[in-house]
Amino acid sequence: MNLQIEAAEVAEHFVWLTEAQSHQLTPTQKQNVADELGDVFLTLLSLSDKIGVDLIAACLQKIEKIKQKYPVALSKGKAIKYTEFQTS
């Protein structure tokens, strides 16, 4: 539950910004977001430690799975789910 709360605190900084504004944060805004991202990261580290998951290894495994689902040749420049471009 804490992870949801911390992630929501990150999102809160962006909810009323346009995409362009979100890429041009002031130094204070950027620091505030960094603080919240740190909270998310620490929460993930704590959770992974408690359940015995190597968080870095899990991330690397997930990247490999994503590469398989979304090969660059089929997915670059497309905002569709992998099941859509593999059948077209």
Side-chain angles (χ1 to χ4, degrees):
M1 288 180 59
N2 191 43
L3 180 57
Q4 288 180 311
I5 293 165
E6 296 300 347
E9 289 177 359
V10 172
E12 188 175 25
H13 290 280
F14 297 96
V15 71
W16 301 113
L17 300 180
T18 65
E19 185 175 352
Q21 290 170 323
S22 72
H23 292 282
Q24 298 175 4
L25 299 177
T26 67
T28 299
Q29 289 172 313
K30 194 171 186 176
Q31 184 57 56
N32 290 338
V33 171
D35 289 344
E36 298 302 343
L37 289 171
D39 288 343
V40 170
F41 191 73
L42 289 169
T43 302
L44 284 171
L45 283 174
S46 177
L47 174 61
S48 63
D49 181 59
K50 286 179 183 176
I51 63 173
V53 170
D54 179 335
L55 190 55
I56 301 301
C59 288
L60 294 173
Q61 289 170 359
K62 185 61 179 182
I63 289 169
E64 290 304 315
K65 288 178 182 180
I66 291 168
K67 285 181 185 178
Q68 295 299 312
K69 282 186 176 181
Y70 295 94
V72 173
L74 296 175
S75 61
K76 185 175 182 178
K78 299 177 183 175
I80 57 176
K81 189 172 179 176
Y82 69 96
T83 55
E84 295 297 317
F85 64 71
Q86 289 181 342
T87 60
S88 57

